[in-house]
Amino acid sequence: MPPPGDTAALWPLCLAVARRRRRGLPPTADSTGPLAWTTGGGHALSGEWDAAAQALFALLKPLLDRQGAEADWTLGQLGQSLDGCIATHRGDSCFVNGPEGLVHVHRLRALCDAVVVGAGTACLDNPQLTTRRVPGDNPTRVVIDPSLRVPADARVFTDGQAPTVLVCDTAHRPQAEARLGAAQVVAVARDDAAGGLLPLPEVVRALRARGLRTLFVEGGGVTVSQFVQQGCLDRLHLIVAPVVIGAGHPGLQVRRSDAMADALRPPARTFAMGADMLWDLDLRGG
Ligand SMILES: NC(=O)c1ccc[n+]([C@@H]2O[C@H](COP(=O)([O-])OP(=O)(O)OC[C@H]3O[C@@H](n4cnc5c(N)ncnc54)[C@H](OP(=O)(O)O)[C@@H]3O)[C@@H](O)[C@H]2O)c1
């Protein structure tokens, strides 16, 4: 009897699902395979798999199941401390979470069409936003930088590892296009009624028009919170580490509730991730 499959054996099957979706193909041609699309809709895992592989499949299934017309979907993540911080007050976030959480973030990058970060993260971390911790394709990188404060020599704009789209306000369009070319720029008008923020439904529409349908909003706290506040996030992975940072960069910040009855209480699942705990929040559920 062969040993049960593990996460290393499962991962290429998950990648294959994402690659088919990206190419506009139906979920799977082989309904007898170990990870197959069922007639009821949704993927099912068959055969013998160890507990870690089964947990990974359960965690990724909502993402893997977004196919065809349902591929327009946005998932966010924040790695946070017990006191709700995603970095120290100086912006040090290396590392809030353990290695398992970091691998998870790279997996999400590999399974989505684009990874989105705010200007704060792009400035403070100078990230690459690649999938170097797991086998998989680098997603398109998207930086929300309304007034072009991220340096032009930031790695996402210069390292050539994947395409990068710069999202700015319309006033900065000419400057952004001169720097990167029109194909790499999405410019939207600020919403004066909302304090000059960029309307994210418009940003998401513009990205989808470029074929970037399944989006992964990786941070930081301001950006993920804006996606939640503007109703643009379908699901959120909060990875809580047993660490207390103290008055650092805040994670999720949403509208204040007067009464507990008004509080956001989405359907939630938990997954152990090394010493951390991942909360999978279904923001469209309930
Ligand atoms: N632990 C984690 O999971 C994690 C993940 C990512 C980053 N981080 C850490 O988080 C820190 C940065 O996070 P942060 O919350 O301060 O910043 P952030 O979310 O990365 O960037 C916020 C900025 O992005 C722009 N922005 C985003 N959405 C916008 C919208 N709808 N309209 C207009 N502008 C928008 C604004 O730029 P302007 O201010 O220029 O207008 C805003 O101030 C860094 O220390 C980084 O290391 C942690």
Side-chain angles (χ1 to χ4, degrees), residues 165-235:
V165 173
L166 173 59
V167 178
C168 63
D169 67 16
T170 43
H172 288 85
R173 181 204 293 268
Q175 202 182 329
E177 290 186 353
R179 194 208 280 178
L180 292 171
Q184 275 181 264
V185 175
V186 165
V188 297
R190 288 180 186 263
D191 182 354
D192 293 332
L197 289 166
L198 299 187
L200 294 173
E202 256 186 66
V203 172
V204 168
R205 258 195 306 279
L207 295 175
R208 296 218 160 114
R210 289 163 181 250
L212 303 173
R213 300 184 61 195
T214 306
L215 306 176
F216 173 44
V217 185
E218 187 171 313
V222 169
T223 301
V224 171
S225 300
Q226 271 303 311
F227 270 79
V228 174
Q229 295 268 49
Q230 297 194 31
C232 290
L233 208 62
D234 295 295
R235 210 153 184 123

Side-chain angles (χ1 to χ4, degrees), residues 12 72 96 160 202 224 256 269:
D72 292 341
V96 176
E202 256 186 66
V224 171
R256 189 171 64 174
R269 304 185 298 164

Side-chain angles (χ1 to χ4, degrees), residues 58-168:
L59 174 58
L60 296 179
K61 181 173 158 55
L63 170 55
L64 298 175
D65 286 353
R66 307 305 296 197
Q67 298 286 333
E70 295 193 333
D72 292 341
W73 202 66
T74 305
L75 167 73
Q77 84 84 41
L78 286 173
Q80 69 169 58
S81 60
L82 292 171
D83 55 338
C85 301
I86 58 161
T88 70
H89 71 104
R90 290 191 172 157
D92 181 13
S93 61
C94 295
F95 295 100
V96 176
N97 297 109
E100 297 84 356
L102 297 174
V103 165
H104 179 62
V105 167
H106 284 229
R107 282 189 178 129
L108 295 181
R109 290 176 183 170
L111 295 177
C112 293
D113 300 333
V115 55
V116 181
V117 295
T121 297
C123 286
L124 282 162
D125 295 359
N126 194 12
Q128 301 174 68
L129 305 175
T130 58
T131 59
R132 60 202 178 280
R133 285 176 189 263
V134 294
D137 313 307
N138 291 331
T140 293
R141 302 167 296 187
V142 177
V143 181
I144 304 183
D145 182 17
S147 35
L148 308 190
R149 70 174 159 109
V150 179
D153 63 356
R155 290 202 280 205
V156 285
F157 298 128
T158 56
D159 67 9
Q161 297 193 78
T164 299
V165 173
L166 173 59
V167 178
C168 63

